Amino acid sequence: MTSSFVRAATPDLQAHPAPTILVLDHDVETYRGQLAPVARVLGASSRDRAIDVVRAELASGARVQAVFVDLALLGGPGALRELLALDPDMGCVVVTADDPPFDEICGLLARERCDDWEVLHRPFAAGAVLHRARQAVASWWRRCRHADRAADLELRIGEANAELTRSHAATAGVLAELRGANDRLRVEMVERTRLEDERRLANKLEGIGQLAAGIAHEINTPTQYILSNAEMLESVLTEWLPAIETLATTGGSWPEEAGGASARQLLAELPELDTDINAAVTSILSGAKSIARIVGAMREFSRSDAPEMRLADLNRAIHATLEVVRHEYRQVADVELTLGELPQVHCHVGEIQQVLANLIVNAAHAIDRREPKTQGIIQIESLHDKARGRVEISIADNGIGIPPENRDRVFDPFFTTKPVGRGTGQGLAIAHNVVARHSGLLTFDSTPGAGTRFLVSLPVRGPVRDRS
Amino acid sequence: MTPPRPRILLVDDEQQVVSGLRRALSRRTNTFEIATACSAAEALVALAMEPCAVVVSDMQMPGINGIELLDEIARVTPHVGRVLLTGTAEADAATRALPTAQRFLCKPANIKTIADTCQDLYHYAKLAQLAGPPAEDGGEPLAVGSITALGIDAATIERARTAVSAGRDALLQVICHPALAAALLHMTGSEFLGARTEVSTLTEAIDLVGTMYFEQMIDSGLLLALDGAAADPIIALAERGRARMQSAVDSGASPTDALAALLLEVDRLGTSDITEWTGLRDPCGPAALLGLWGAPALLVERIAERWAAEVAAGRIGDGCIASAPPVVSSDHTHMAGE
């Protein structure tokens, strides 16, 4: 049951007939070594050769699902442009030793998929080639499904048009048909947007839902000491109010018949009482502030409702996130913050907070799984890379680390090594998608037994499509 | 010289929680002296140095957590009352605490609830000391407080598990068993389930707990399943309880009284080890056990009365299995709904 679920959610190399993958690079054999068992690998060492290969495939009625292009190769981005002109659905993997030229590559791609491409860094990490191929082929399947849908819609519009021609005489009827087709189309589009919104909301709710128990605990603690101290003050007031009134009305003469004895006793106990009352009031105020802080952080956390991206202070987002997830890490790790000066970043700050929350909770879980159990450290750093116009946030833990064999599956939906009930395996997959939507990069390095460091890198000016 | 007052030890890793509780409790009660600790380790040291009547502990603390702390206390000083006071909202928290925490309170708890709970535990611990036989070495008498599990035959557990999936009515068919009924009443004593209403029948208890928590209760470690020959004496004991219940019903007793009859020897099913059965123990006071576990006061009272009468008549104690009343094999299950 589980495996078919996974399959449906992640079209991978095994789930479909063997895909065809084109490699525009010198060392085709390296790729073939990793991909051969699951894919048909075609190699090309020049732009012209690559174009010929794709033409031949198309001519024979086949498609190339994904292409690896080495940017260092003469005419890399240009080759990509021509290949995409031949078949715009192709999944793209850009091979590079440096940061890829985001804007240039995004410009080559159709608007709706301008951040839907992969980067393969040299030197290749174990399993990285296979992983990127899987992502690129998955993206091809996604697009072709959309394409099918669009083709279907076009077909229906075509039918409506044909109807129009046939019933030329009855203009009113024809118009109604046309309007109907249009309405259906509009409904279809609205429906699609709604589904996307729903999915996003569901992800958000999952995030908050998983944290709700912890947040409740963090609020119940200060509520407990506010309540105890308030009850103590109430009892003090009830007991001493009559004596205080006596003191006030008798002007210090304290006649016995007006409660003088009790007033004198109050005066005797006052020094000790005073300390207790002060401590109680201080505690109530600090408890109320704690609750206000947590509630304030939750309010920030739920701001992902905003449909458009806004400028946000990511250091503040880090603080708010820590407040909300405090319960998840407090028992296992201390947090060390090294926050640099950051510019305001154009983003969905609520979504970015969810990404951070996921990474922090994961770090805590990785620490919690160490043996023997000792308090760990989660280091969070932020910095502004002015030269590249990016803000980077890194979250490092000294937990158990990620074994090499799992590294290329870290971002796969439903992949998890956590015990049942600890994670759905969705967290990092969602985080990856969110960061990708921001034209950012989510990467990690890990040493088993020593820890893992995740790096979120976001363009300060927001995703490419929002700038144009 | 006045004897030292019994002590309540408050344990919470949040300093403000313990100091707030200490201030409020000191004003509220003159019966107890209040001590505090900010970690389980600190609490164990405090306990070793000065005796305590009741420990009220937080659950989630760094290092040793509250459940582990109460576990240790149950093992080393079983006569000390054990209360968990937690702000957790996790669904299985109450059932995880079931074997070791005698009472489960939720933050924020008002000071009256906490003071009453401590008073209650202190009272039942003393009752248990009176009920139990004196220890041979002159030390602490055998403590009801050491009970952290109840023996039950595996077949009944299996029937209960099947009944859970079949729903509430099926559960009512199996619940007339001293161990299951006592565990259920322990569960209803937990504040986690919301209203601490005084239940008077097992039907009410099942409706309050619900099938999900009932299932968690079965798996919580509070019920220790026994197989084969080891199960024989406890099966006989359960049968005798049911027979008593039936005759109480036949003679027109109230539902509470009939339930008391079922539970009259439940303490003998108790074991201090949730993994290993140590055999039927000497009777040490079923009323004290259910009282410590937060069962309804009226029921506890009825059990205490019946128990005193049975002991006076020589029907409880050594050899009571041999002199057991004849086992009635008819169906007693309709009792639960009454």
Side-chain angles (χ1 to χ4, degrees):
Chain A
M1 201 173 86
T2 312
S3 67
S4 65
F5 191 25
V6 171
R7 181 127 311 164
T10 55
D12 62 16
L13 299 185
Q14 284 88 17
H16 301 284
T20 302
I21 294 174
L22 172 63
V23 174
L24 183 47
D25 200 346
H26 291 301
D27 49 349
V28 177
E29 286 315 310
T30 312
Y31 295 85
R32 191 164 281 141
Q34 288 202 38
L35 299 175
V38 288
R40 192 162 70 101
V41 179
L42 305 174
S45 52
S46 74
R47 182 171 80 170
D48 293 348
R49 178 79 195 101
I51 289 167
D52 286 348
V53 169
V54 174
R55 279 213 179 104
E57 284 294 306
L58 286 170
S60 70
R63 308 273 298 266
V64 173
Q65 273 80 21
V67 59
F68 283 77
V69 177
D70 186 345
L71 288 186
L73 216 67
L74 194 63
L80 193 58
R81 186 202 320 277
E82 289 187 40
L83 291 173
L84 284 166
L86 286 173
D87 187 347
D89 288 331
M90 239 185 277
C92 303
V93 183
V94 170
V95 184
T96 174
D98 311 306
D99 275 319
F102 283 93
D103 295 5
E104 189 176 352
I105 291 173
C106 291
L108 296 177
L109 294 162
R111 250 174 87 83
E112 67 273 12
R113 59 168 299 206
C114 78
D115 55 5
D116 191 3
W117 50 282
E118 302 291 321
V119 181
L120 176 61
H121 282 284
R122 279 189 197 283
F124 301 160
V129 171
L130 184 59
H131 177 62
R132 297 304 182 285
R134 190 180 277 143
Q135 298 278 5
V137 171
S139 106
W140 185 86
W141 276 106
R142 270 200 306 276
R143 255 189 312 286
C144 285
R145 226 175 281 145
H146 284 165
D148 287 350
R149 199 77 174 275
D152 182 43
L153 288 176
E154 272 171 31
L155 211 65
R156 281 153 65 183
I157 297 170
E159 281 165 6
N161 273 332
E163 187 69 15
L164 184 107
T165 325
R166 272 198 296 279
S167 52
H168 208 265
T171 317
V174 169
L175 274 175
E177 260 326 301
L178 199 63
R179 210 170 287 132
N182 261 329
D183 286 350
R184 281 198 296 279
L185 195 68
R186 202 172 299 126
V187 167
E188 183 79 17
M189 281 167 67
V190 168
E191 176 69 2
R192 209 183 283 183
T193 319
R194 190 183 63 82
L195 284 177
E196 171 69 9
D197 286 351
E198 259 178 24
R199 192 187 56 78
R200 241 193 246 195
L201 184 68
N203 288 346
K204 188 186 89 189
L205 290 179
E206 184 185 54
I208 288 280
Q210 280 172 355
L211 298 174
I215 295 169
H217 185 270
E218 292 305 297
I219 289 179
N220 282 337
T221 301
T223 310
Q224 176 67 63
Y225 58 79
I226 290 174
L227 182 64
S228 313
N229 284 302
E231 284 185 313
M232 177 258 171
L233 291 179
E234 187 194 29
S235 113
V236 168
L237 277 183
T238 319
E239 188 179 348
W240 293 116
L241 216 49
I244 293 168
E245 276 167 10
T246 304
L247 286 175
T249 52
T250 58
S253 60
W254 311 332
E256 288 305 315
E257 67 278 11
S262 126
R264 271 189 291 276
Q265 198 190 335
L266 168 62
L267 280 185
E269 288 191 19
L270 208 50
E272 196 190 335
L273 208 54
D274 193 42
T275 318
D276 268 4
I277 291 174
N278 270 319
V281 170
T282 309
S283 189
I284 288 173
L285 290 176
S286 101
K289 278 178 196 150
S290 295
I291 294 175
R293 204 172 56 232
I294 296 166
V295 173
M298 283 171 66
R299 199 179 300 129
E300 289 200 19
F301 210 81
S302 54
R303 280 211 191 128
S304 51
D305 292 343
E308 77 280 20
M309 297 200 183
R310 290 183 189 167
L311 289 176
D313 174 351
L314 290 187
N315 281 341
R316 192 184 151 127
I318 292 172
H319 279 296
T321 307
L322 281 172
E323 201 63 63
V324 172
V325 301
R326 184 178 311 283
H327 183 77
E328 314 299 319
Y329 69 77
R330 192 170 49 110
Q331 306 285 345
V332 296
D334 296 324
V335 168
E336 279 180 18
L337 286 177
T338 316
L339 303 183
E341 235 175 77
L342 300 186
Q344 300 261 313
V345 174
H346 196 65
C347 65
H348 280 299
V349 68
E351 293 188 0
I352 297 301
Q353 279 177 319
Q354 257 198 63
V355 170
L356 298 176
N358 258 309
L359 297 177
I360 296 167
V361 171
N362 277 346
H365 285 174
I367 289 169
D368 193 33
R369 291 167 78 184
R370 297 189 307 182
E371 290 295 343
K373 294 198 188 304
T374 48
Q375 194 79 353
I377 295 174
I378 300 175
Q379 289 173 311
I380 303 179
E381 283 179 34
S382 67
L383 62 87
H384 179 204
D385 183 341
K386 284 189 186 131
R388 291 164 54 228
R390 298 176 86 79
V391 160
E392 296 194 334
I393 299 172
S394 84
I395 293 168
D397 64 65
N398 55 352
I400 53 170
I402 302 167
E405 64 270 23
N406 288 342
R407 281 188 198 159
D408 61 332
R409 303 172 66 194
V410 162
F411 296 119
D412 286 0
F414 302 105
F415 176 74
T416 182
T417 59
K418 292 178 189 174
V420 175
R422 202 87 201 261
T424 59
Q426 290 282 52
L428 284 175
I430 292 171
H432 188 266
N433 291 346
V434 167
V435 175
R437 267 206 299 280
H438 285 79
S439 297
L441 278 178
L442 177 59
T443 53
F444 67 94
D445 54 86
S446 183
T447 313
T452 305
R453 177 173 172 271
F454 274 90
L455 184 71
V456 182
S457 166
L458 297 171
V460 173
R461 293 169 56 211
V464 179
R465 59 165 172 265
D466 279 25
R467 284 181 223 156
S468 49
Chain B
M1 195 183 107
T2 51
R5 287 184 295 167
R7 187 184 291 260
I8 295 174
L9 178 61
L10 306 167
V11 192
D12 198 307
D13 60 324
E14 174 58 71
Q15 170 68 46
Q16 305 221 56
V17 170
V18 286
S19 30
L21 285 173
R22 182 180 46 72
R23 275 193 287 276
L25 269 175
S26 316
R27 287 199 64 81
R28 168 127 205 143
T29 166
N30 280 322
T31 316
F32 296 99
E33 202 168 303
I34 315 295
T36 63
C38 279
S39 71
E42 209 182 296
L44 288 171
V45 171
L47 272 168
M49 290 176 49
E50 277 184 298
C52 253
V54 181
V55 171
V56 180
S57 174
D58 183 25
M59 184 146 90
Q60 289 162 339
M61 296 184 285
I64 307 169
N65 69 35
I67 292 180
E68 290 160 346
L69 171 66
L70 296 190
D71 236 357
E72 181 67 7
I73 293 173
R75 203 174 59 76
V76 182
T77 49
H79 54 280
V80 175
R82 306 182 294 271
V83 183
L84 212 50
L85 170 63
T86 170
T88 192
E90 284 161 23
D92 64 340
T95 40
R96 269 191 293 137
L98 216 42
T100 46
Q102 289 158 336
R103 299 296 174 87
F104 191 100
L105 299 179
C106 294
K107 283 181 191 167
N110 64 42
I111 222 64
K112 180 180 185 319
T113 306
I114 297 171
D116 288 355
T117 302
C118 291
Q119 186 68 56
D120 222 26
L121 286 185
Y122 181 55
H123 166 74
Y124 286 119
K126 282 213 294 208
L127 188 72
Q129 287 188 3
L130 293 177
E136 280 167 18
D137 57 1
E140 290 289 345
L142 178 65
V144 175
S146 68
I147 295 180
T148 48
L150 295 173
I152 184 169
D153 58 293
T156 302
I157 285 279
E158 248 354 277
R159 281 205 297 141
R161 226 186 279 278
T162 317
V164 166
S165 42
R168 171 182 174 275
D169 291 339
L171 270 182
L172 289 173
Q173 301 290 315
V174 295
I175 195 60
C176 281
H177 184 286
L180 276 178
L184 186 60
L185 289 167
H186 186 8
M187 195 76 203
T188 58
S190 166
E191 217 188 34
F192 193 79
L193 296 167
R196 276 201 58 190
T197 41
E198 292 270 298
V199 294
S200 57
T201 66
L202 293 176
T203 314
E204 278 173 25
I206 285 188
D207 287 344
L208 180 66
V209 166
T211 50
M212 183 186 95
Y213 284 108
F214 191 89
E215 189 168 25
Q216 285 187 16
M217 177 191 90
I218 293 176
D219 296 323
S220 68
L222 181 64
L223 295 166
L224 187 76
L226 297 174
D227 244 333
D232 291 345
I234 59 173
I235 291 173
L237 202 74
E239 280 304 326
R240 214 166 61 214
R242 274 200 284 263
R244 278 210 189 92
M245 186 177 198
Q246 187 61 49
S247 61
V249 171
D250 291 346
S251 63
S254 71
T256 309
D257 215 17
L259 190 50
L262 176 72
L263 293 164
L264 207 52
E265 289 176 278
V266 67
D267 56 318
R268 303 194 63 215
L269 296 172
T271 170
S272 52
D273 192 330
I274 59 171
T275 53
E276 199 185 336
W277 178 247
T278 45
L280 285 182
R281 59 166 61 210
D282 286 331
C284 52
L289 175 66
L290 287 160
L292 288 171
W293 282 3
L298 184 63
L299 174 70
V300 174
E301 214 171 278
R302 298 299 301 130
I303 294 175
E305 281 168 20
R306 267 182 177 264
W307 197 69
E310 296 283 317
V311 171
R315 288 198 295 266
I316 296 266
D318 287 338
C320 57
I321 291 174
S323 62
V327 168
V328 181
S329 57
S330 67
D331 183 18
H332 322 289
T333 50
H334 64 277
M335 273 297 309
E338 295 182 17

